[in-house]
Amino acid sequence: MTLAETFALVSFSIFSYADLRYRLVPGIEVFLFGTILLTFPATPIQTGIVLLACLWSIFRNLSGWFAIPLLFYPPVWPVLFTGYGYRKGIIGRADLFAISGLACLFPLPAVLLSLFGLELWRRFWVRRQTGSIPALPGMFIGLLVYIVTGNLF
């Protein structure tokens, strides 16, 4: 396993536990900052574009026209999708930071698998619990599938 995979798995296992237990994810900002530090020297363009998409999501006063040029870079699509949900109040800030960090560390199939894992987790959670859905355990499941399958996608 690479340093990025180890960093993501350890972080997501801790964050998943915190999300399940407390419904808060303290330190997710540190995870995003750590992913930026890990990936910026190797892939500065991808890291910068993902960071711009994350900033567009956080600052609601930025126009939607700001995101139009970002649509021409497919690895940033999950971040923009999550950011739109954050801007509308559907998705939490920790989920946005987690997807942004994954988009910095991994290629598009890993991020999409983490979102697919989130959807499977949501379907499992709705059958057994009520209330808000902790998203990070689902993302962790999808990321784990991506890493265990040996990056076949």
Side-chain angles (χ1 to χ4, degrees), residues 30-98:
V30 176
F31 170 73
L32 180 61
F33 185 69
T35 59
I36 290 169
L37 289 178
L38 273 175
T39 59
F40 191 73
T43 57
I45 294 174
Q46 179 173 348
T47 305
I49 292 175
V50 167
L51 187 60
L52 283 175
C54 187
L55 290 175
W56 170 78
S57 305
I58 293 170
F59 297 114
R60 296 173 192 227
N61 58 350
L62 287 175
S63 172
W65 291 101
F66 181 80
I68 297 285
L70 301 175
L71 289 173
F72 291 104
Y73 192 65
V76 84
W77 290 350
V79 178
L80 290 173
F81 182 67
T82 308
Y84 180 76
Y86 176 72
R87 287 174 77 123
K88 295 297 180 184
I90 301 169
I91 298 173
R93 188 177 192 150
D95 307 330
L96 171 66
F97 286 164

Side-chain angles (χ1 to χ4, degrees), residues 3 9-10 17 24 47 50 55-56 64 66 68 76-77 108 121 123 141 146 152:
L3 178 65
L9 283 180
V10 170
Y17 177 73
L24 293 172
T47 305
V50 167
L55 290 175
W56 170 78
F66 181 80
I68 297 285
V76 84
W77 290 350
L108 182 62
W121 174 255
R123 289 174 186 254
I141 291 169
Y146 177 77
L152 294 176

